[in-house]
Amino acid sequence: MLTRLRVSGFKNLVDVDVRFGPFTCIAGANGVGKSNLFDAIGFLSAMANHPLSEAAMSVRNPEGRTGDIRSLFHRVGERYDDRMDFEVEMIVPKEGFDDLGQKAVASQTFLRYTVSLGYRGDDNSSSAGRLVILREDLAYVKRGDARDHLAFMGKSDAWLHSAVQGARRAPFISTETQEEGCVIKVHQDGGSSGKPRTLLAANLPRTALSAANAAESPTATMARREMESWRLLQLEPSKLRSPDPFTAPKRLAEDGSHLPATLYRLARAATRENRNRDADAASQRVYSQLANRLSELIDDVKEVFVDRDERRELFTIMVQDAVGTTHPARSLSDGTLRFLALAVLALDPDEKCLICLEEPENGIHPARISAMLELLQDIVTDVERPVDEDNPLRQVIVNTHSQAVISQVPDDSLLMAELREHVLQGERFKALACSPVRDTWRSKVDDGKVRAADPGAFGPYLNPAPQRQPGRPRTLVDRPDMQGYLPFSESA
């Protein structure tokens, strides 16, 4: 679970410091950099599992994937910053497995990870240059300080004690400057008291964290697993509509692929768990839960199930309406499919992850956006209960510029994204700032020094109907018979 992100020097993120709770909604106009924040999270996730070059190439640009590593760095005019810095605070799972299937048990679950990257050009003009590691650290956050860092919890102790566990007095990864240059040290915490492994930073093609294993560094391994689980969902209707072969992966992909196979796996898992009772009833309960959730979006849902076509060896999601007509996924609307995918994800106990989702209102009727928001908030961990299989460390971050979303999101989950002016070496530029609503938990951390958003910034989202300009054609909001339905109208 990502609880804090500090970024500087990445795209238009300069001295950005954002605290996250279980559910966070980032609101703001187009072009201010909301997506860049998601890109920073995605870049960190990719670095936890891939070489630096591959992680950089996975970051989006307006045309798709970036082909220029230099473009990741903040730029003013033609001058690029010479480094980018990332710091995250996160709660990691207590136990898991490394790449070889060896069990890792973290000695501390509340961690702070820092990585700084520089750019090294190449004499060959055809080369795009490469990233170099300037610093990498993995340390613990004191359990006694956890409540100050996790202010979203309120007064609940059950969640805190189950999520933040262990103790540690030394770092897991640290950086030193020696004669040969910057050195990354990987400290053992797997039961051995051996000397730390020393790595020359200039020669590293990937982060030390991305190579962690259970025997040497179980806590770093779990930090790696946590960061790998940070997912940016870009649900494509064409992928959501596609049936799955029997051999397809049975986990929902970031683009929405493998939705039928994932749902079939969940139904089968329920059957196995109830093998001594009515297996068909156990499977049906999964489908019924999904149908009940989908009925919050569309009125006439009676049943949802996966059709198993033995002849063609295909899984297909089917929806039956109130009069008994069965519809395959390919006939469902884009918004219905996106909602269905998120509802399946909510049922999946294996999805202990951070989910980033852009514009959740896309394809959803304005009157049903509340159902989408309720679904997203039901996905996340409940801080009033202990963390367990039924209440995993799951988290959702969305961004939006929709009035319908912003007006219905809890105020303590809301951040306003806007451009603020900076001055560096005599040059003025604007960069992203994320500000909380006044008198919410984010505005009270750091002894209340956090700059809250100006209430006026939310005005356009609360009452977006513009006044009619003389000479322009009448619109729906100008009609006398519609005045009682408008927000803040005199007759409302």
Side-chain angles (χ1 to χ4, degrees), residues 261-336:
T262 302
L263 179 54
Y264 184 78
R265 187 251 302 168
L266 292 175
R268 291 287 295 170
T271 298
R272 289 193 298 271
E273 291 171 4
N274 292 269
R275 57 185 177 273
N276 296 327
R277 289 170 277 174
D278 188 339
D280 289 338
S283 177
Q284 187 57 45
R285 276 194 293 272
V286 172
Y287 292 139
S288 295
Q289 283 181 280
L290 192 59
N292 290 338
R293 177 63 84 171
L294 190 58
S295 67
E296 297 173 6
L297 185 75
I298 51 180
D299 293 326
D300 59 348
V301 175
K302 180 181 179 182
E303 188 177 358
V304 177
F305 62 95
V306 175
D307 176 64
R308 180 185 170 100
D309 187 330
E310 296 289 350
R311 184 177 63 84
R312 296 188 298 163
E313 297 188 340
L314 289 177
F315 296 126
T316 303
I317 288 184
M318 311 294 288
V319 176
Q320 188 178 90
D321 63 24
V323 298
T325 305
T326 301
H327 307 272
R330 64 177 179 271
S331 67
L332 302 178
S333 71
D334 294 359
T336 299

Side-chain angles (χ1 to χ4, degrees), residues 188-490:
Q188 298 187 20
D189 73 311
S192 171
S193 58
K195 291 183 179 180
R197 182 159 55 98
T198 300
L199 308 167
L200 187 61
N203 297 335
L204 291 177
R206 60 194 305 154
T207 62
L209 183 82
S210 70
N213 61 76
E216 181 184 59
S217 310
T219 303
T221 299
M222 295 315 301
R224 175 187 175 189
R225 288 288 179 256
E226 166 61 24
M227 294 174 68
E228 288 173 344
S229 75
W230 298 348
R231 308 179 71 191
L232 173 59
L233 293 187
Q234 295 177 291
L235 301 173
E236 296 290 340
S238 61
K239 302 293 184 181
L240 293 168
R241 288 190 171 91
S242 298
D244 276 330
F246 285 178
T247 56
K250 292 176 175 56
R251 186 195 183 198
L252 186 69
E254 280 79 1
D255 63 0
S257 300
H258 316 311
L259 179 60
T262 302
L263 179 54
Y264 184 78
R265 187 251 302 168
L266 292 175
R268 291 287 295 170
T271 298
R272 289 193 298 271
E273 291 171 4
N274 292 269
R275 57 185 177 273
N276 296 327
R277 289 170 277 174
D278 188 339
D280 289 338
S283 177
Q284 187 57 45
R285 276 194 293 272
V286 172
Y287 292 139
S288 295
Q289 283 181 280
L290 192 59
N292 290 338
R293 177 63 84 171
L294 190 58
S295 67
E296 297 173 6
L297 185 75
I298 51 180
D299 293 326
D300 59 348
V301 175
K302 180 181 179 182
E303 188 177 358
V304 177
F305 62 95
V306 175
D307 176 64
R308 180 185 170 100
D309 187 330
E310 296 289 350
R311 184 177 63 84
R312 296 188 298 163
E313 297 188 340
L314 289 177
F315 296 126
T316 303
I317 288 184
M318 311 294 288
V319 176
Q320 188 178 90
D321 63 24
V323 298
T325 305
T326 301
H327 307 272
R330 64 177 179 271
S331 67
L332 302 178
S333 71
D334 294 359
T336 299
L337 287 167
R338 281 163 56 91
F339 189 92
L340 184 62
L342 292 167
V344 168
L345 191 147
L347 291 174
D348 192 345
D350 293 338
E351 289 289 356
K352 303 176 177 69
C353 58
L354 159 62
I355 299 164
C356 296
L357 183 67
E358 294 194 295
E359 300 179 0
E361 68 276 6
N362 282 351
I364 305 296
H365 187 277
R368 300 300 170 95
I369 285 177
S370 59
M372 172 63 87
L373 294 177
E374 184 176 345
L375 169 59
L376 291 171
Q377 292 172 82
D378 284 349
I379 290 175
V380 306
T381 186
D382 181 355
V383 297
E384 298 298 324
R385 300 192 292 123
V387 176
D388 55 27
E389 286 300 312
D390 295 324
N391 186 36
L393 277 175
R394 226 160 29 188
Q395 182 180 20
V396 171
I397 305 172
V398 301
N399 69 32
T400 185
H401 47 70
S402 164
Q403 181 270 344
V405 171
I406 295 167
S407 62
Q408 297 180 68
V409 168
D411 64 349
D412 63 355
S413 298
L414 195 59
L415 285 169
M416 173 58 69
E418 52 193 347
L419 293 174
R420 270 188 206 150
E421 190 170 87
H422 294 248
V423 179
L424 180 64
Q425 298 179 357
E427 293 183 286
R428 294 182 179 273
F429 62 92
K430 291 184 177 181
L432 176 69
C434 293
S435 306
V437 180
R438 288 181 184 175
D439 299 321
T440 57
W441 66 266
R442 287 185 180 87
S443 69
K444 296 175 183 177
V445 296
D446 295 335
D447 298 323
K449 296 178 182 178
V450 175
R451 180 176 171 180
D454 184 338
F458 295 100
Y461 302 102
L462 301 178
N463 191 7
Q467 291 188 358
R468 184 185 176 198
Q469 299 298 317
R472 297 189 63 178
R474 185 176 70 171
T475 64
L476 194 64
V477 298
D478 299 318
R479 291 176 57 93
D481 57 343
M482 292 292 170
Q483 297 307 302
Y485 299 98
L486 299 180
F488 309 116
S489 65
E490 292 182 1

Side-chain angles (χ1 to χ4, degrees), residues 35-343:
S35 294
N36 290 342
L37 198 64
F38 281 3
D39 288 340
I41 293 172
F43 184 39
L44 285 163
S45 179
M47 279 196 291
N49 196 38
H50 299 285
L52 296 173
S53 58
E54 291 184 25
M57 293 300 176
S58 73
V59 180
R60 303 173 301 170
N61 67 15
E63 289 75 38
R65 300 296 179 186
T66 185
D68 181 8
I69 291 176
R70 198 73 169 119
S71 67
L72 299 182
F73 290 79
H74 176 250
R75 183 180 67 165
V76 178
E78 297 302 316
R79 181 185 62 79
Y80 288 91
D81 286 7
D82 57 6
R83 64 185 288 157
M84 47 186 168
D85 302 285
F86 303 86
E87 180 183 294
V88 299
E89 292 179 4
M90 56 186 164
I91 300 174
V92 306
K94 180 66 176 177
E95 298 179 357
F97 296 90
D98 67 11
D99 291 345
L100 298 177
Q102 304 305 299
K103 186 175 182 178
V105 180
S107 58
Q108 170 64 285
T109 62
F110 193 13
L111 305 174
R112 181 183 294 111
Y113 177 65
T114 304
V115 62
S116 298
L117 304 173
Y119 176 81
R120 178 171 293 175
D122 198 304
D123 293 337
N124 183 354
S125 60
S126 64
S127 173
R130 67 186 183 94
L131 294 173
V132 293
I133 298 176
L134 305 177
R135 177 179 178 177
E136 185 178 9
D137 298 283
L138 180 65
Y140 64 96
V141 178
K142 293 180 181 179
R143 291 186 66 186
D145 296 337
R147 187 171 290 282
D148 293 335
H149 289 258
L150 307 173
F152 58 81
M153 294 185 311
K155 297 181 179 179
S156 173
D157 287 328
W159 187 89
L160 175 64
H161 292 158
S162 60
V164 179
Q165 301 181 30
R168 175 78 172 177
R169 297 195 176 189
F172 303 98
I173 300 174
S174 64
T175 303
E176 293 183 6
T177 301
Q178 299 183 359
E179 290 184 5
E180 60 269 37
C182 180
V183 168
I184 310 297
K185 290 190 173 184
V186 180
H187 303 268
Q188 298 187 20
D189 73 311
S192 171
S193 58
K195 291 183 179 180
R197 182 159 55 98
T198 300
L199 308 167
L200 187 61
N203 297 335
L204 291 177
R206 60 194 305 154
T207 62
L209 183 82
S210 70
N213 61 76
E216 181 184 59
S217 310
T219 303
T221 299
M222 295 315 301
R224 175 187 175 189
R225 288 288 179 256
E226 166 61 24
M227 294 174 68
E228 288 173 344
S229 75
W230 298 348
R231 308 179 71 191
L232 173 59
L233 293 187
Q234 295 177 291
L235 301 173
E236 296 290 340
S238 61
K239 302 293 184 181
L240 293 168
R241 288 190 171 91
S242 298
D244 276 330
F246 285 178
T247 56
K250 292 176 175 56
R251 186 195 183 198
L252 186 69
E254 280 79 1
D255 63 0
S257 300
H258 316 311
L259 179 60
T262 302
L263 179 54
Y264 184 78
R265 187 251 302 168
L266 292 175
R268 291 287 295 170
T271 298
R272 289 193 298 271
E273 291 171 4
N274 292 269
R275 57 185 177 273
N276 296 327
R277 289 170 277 174
D278 188 339
D280 289 338
S283 177
Q284 187 57 45
R285 276 194 293 272
V286 172
Y287 292 139
S288 295
Q289 283 181 280
L290 192 59
N292 290 338
R293 177 63 84 171
L294 190 58
S295 67
E296 297 173 6
L297 185 75
I298 51 180
D299 293 326
D300 59 348
V301 175
K302 180 181 179 182
E303 188 177 358
V304 177
F305 62 95
V306 175
D307 176 64
R308 180 185 170 100
D309 187 330
E310 296 289 350
R311 184 177 63 84
R312 296 188 298 163
E313 297 188 340
L314 289 177
F315 296 126
T316 303
I317 288 184
M318 311 294 288
V319 176
Q320 188 178 90
D321 63 24
V323 298
T325 305
T326 301
H327 307 272
R330 64 177 179 271
S331 67
L332 302 178
S333 71
D334 294 359
T336 299
L337 287 167
R338 281 163 56 91
F339 189 92
L340 184 62
L342 292 167

